[in-house]
Amino acid sequence: MFAVTKSALWYVLVTLGIVVMVVPVLSVSAGPQLTTLRVAFRPLQTWGALFIAEKEGFFANQGLRIEWVPDNGGAEGLAPLIGGQLQVLPTAASAGFFNAVAHGELVRIVADKGYIEPGSRLFSSLVVRKDLAGTVIKTVADLKGKRIGINTVGSSAHYLLARVLAQAGLKVEDVDLHRLPTAAEVAGLQNRALDAAMIPEPWVTQLLDQGIVVLMVKSGDIAPNEQVAFVFYGPDLLKRDRALGRRFILAYRQALRQYAQGPTARNVAIVAEYTDVTPDLIRRGGWQGMFVDGHIEVDRLRRFQDWLYDIGMITVRNPIQGVVDTSFLEYATSVLK
């Protein structure tokens, strides 16, 4: 049987609505002089730089205390970000984001949170049930009509799936797509409700270890160097208190410098503590690529928006200057020279 980790259990509880309170996970002890920021939290290695920023005191040094708010991924965090229940949303770009901008909502990408390194399997790789691989499903083309799980429609993972299917002459409409939280995708593979899925680490390695799936295509072989995740701000930091937004990004940039050192013993220990995943599993799963200066690849972002427009998930192509705000990074760069 597949052993559900505490991280996977967390997803199930959030999905069922059992976890309804803000949980200040592993927050640095701080006095009343610190300003609290509510930041969306998922127990994934791709949050590594943010975990480092808190654990190493970079946020505290900027007078910030972090409250981690459980998030189920995708565009679900946009509404609380726009409404002020969140101040920072680290997540992948999505159709929901571009549509929100098109409708005049004040939400912007302010920094990088991860790109896909060539050969990496860390971000949403394509896995197939082991009992089907090599027989029923020998190649990607055999996925036609099969049940495939995905965390969010209109997301970077959806984009990757579309690209790998296109390489086999298929469209997303040719498969039976199921939008599910990641923990439910894992359960669906285990109980054979799904035939394949796009899932990230650490679940890829865990499922491989349990003999439940085979890895069909790594994300790094689908779209090498694709920027897939970002830090988003809403009205609280874009309008009401931009100085607070600058302090957050300054601390984040400092953490990116340490994160860029790779899976050192210290960095792995921090990520393991926040994600409740063993250091060995983190090392085997890979180290998410992040730009040390946090810059945004606007051309790739524009291409992703064009794809969403082409498949009808957005109706407006936003000017790229309307979806990003680089001023916070520019400030941090000037300070950290």
Side-chain angles (χ1 to χ4, degrees):
M1 293 293 291
F2 177 72
V4 178
T5 66
K6 291 182 181 178
S7 297
L9 180 60
W10 179 269
Y11 273 92
V12 174
L13 293 175
V14 172
T15 303
L16 295 176
I18 296 173
V19 179
V20 297
M21 62 180 292
V22 174
V23 182
V25 181
L26 302 172
S27 295
V28 174
S29 178
Q33 75 280 7
L34 298 185
T35 300
T36 297
L37 286 181
R38 294 156 67 93
V39 180
F41 169 84
R42 299 178 73 194
L44 298 177
Q45 189 272 337
T46 55
W47 261 247
L50 293 160
F51 300 153
I52 289 169
E54 182 181 53
K55 190 67 176 180
E56 301 292 44
F58 298 134
F59 284 141
N61 290 341
Q62 292 300 318
L64 304 177
R65 175 183 176 273
I66 304 302
E67 285 191 0
W68 299 105
V69 181
D71 174 60
N72 201 40
E76 294 180 8
L78 284 172
L81 181 68
I82 293 167
Q85 291 79 42
L86 285 174
Q87 282 74 55
V88 182
L89 176 64
T91 193
S94 66
F97 163 66
F98 291 107
N99 282 327
V101 173
H103 285 90
E105 299 292 354
L106 188 56
V107 55
R108 301 288 185 269
I109 291 171
V110 297
D112 168 59
K113 198 185 78 73
Y115 67 92
I116 303 173
E117 293 189 318
S120 169
R121 70 187 194 197
L122 201 148
F123 183 89
S124 292
S125 293
L126 177 62
V127 299
V128 174
R129 274 178 24 216
K130 190 172 183 178
D131 61 304
L132 300 177
T135 54
V136 176
I137 302 174
K138 297 179 181 179
T139 68
V140 173
D142 295 325
L143 291 173
K144 185 174 182 178
K146 299 300 187 293
R147 299 163 297 180
I148 301 181
I150 195 170
N151 180 264
T152 305
V153 174
S155 65
S156 298
H158 187 187
Y159 179 54
L160 293 179
L161 177 61
R163 289 186 63 163
V164 73
L165 289 175
Q167 293 168 8
L170 299 178
K171 297 180 180 179
V172 174
E173 293 78 11
D174 293 324
V175 302
D176 182 10
L177 197 63
H178 293 256
R179 193 279 190 203
L180 298 166
T182 306
E185 288 185 85
V186 170
L189 291 166
Q190 179 191 11
N191 62 29
R192 301 188 179 184
L194 294 175
D195 302 314
M198 296 291 292
I199 58 171
E201 289 289 358
W203 288 278
V204 173
T205 298
Q206 289 174 330
L207 288 168
L208 288 171
D209 286 351
Q210 294 294 324
I212 295 173
V213 303
V214 298
L215 180 60
M216 177 160 275
V217 189
K218 297 177 182 178
S219 54
D221 293 334
I222 301 171
N225 298 311
E226 192 76 24
Q227 192 172 26
V228 290
F230 306 89
V231 176
F232 294 78
Y233 279 0
D236 283 353
L237 301 184
L238 290 170
K239 183 177 181 180
R240 299 186 185 103
D241 196 339
R242 291 183 65 85
L244 193 58
R246 289 193 290 270
R247 286 155 57 191
F248 182 91
I249 289 296
L250 180 57
Y252 180 60
R253 276 289 316 277
Q254 290 175 299
L256 283 172
R257 287 181 171 180
Q258 179 170 326
Y259 181 90
Q261 296 170 10
T264 64
R266 176 63 178 169
N267 285 347
V268 169
I270 292 172
V271 173
E273 182 179 358
Y274 279 76
T275 60
D276 194 34
V277 171
T278 66
D280 174 67
L281 193 59
I282 291 169
R283 290 191 179 93
R284 288 195 292 136
W287 199 246
Q288 175 74 51
M290 295 186 193
F291 297 119
V292 68
D293 62 356
H295 79 267
I296 303 159
E297 297 273 297
V298 293
D299 288 340
R300 292 181 182 272
L301 188 63
R302 184 182 291 109
R303 185 175 65 189
F304 176 58
Q305 182 181 224
D306 288 343
W307 172 75
L308 290 169
Y309 182 87
D310 291 341
I311 65 171
M313 294 204 71
I314 63 174
T315 58
V316 175
R317 284 190 175 100
N318 298 289
I320 206 68
Q321 63 268 24
V323 300
V324 302
D325 185 335
T326 61
S327 64
F328 299 95
L329 281 174
E330 290 163 4
Y331 165 78
T333 299
S334 70
V335 173
L336 294 175
K337 284 181 178 178

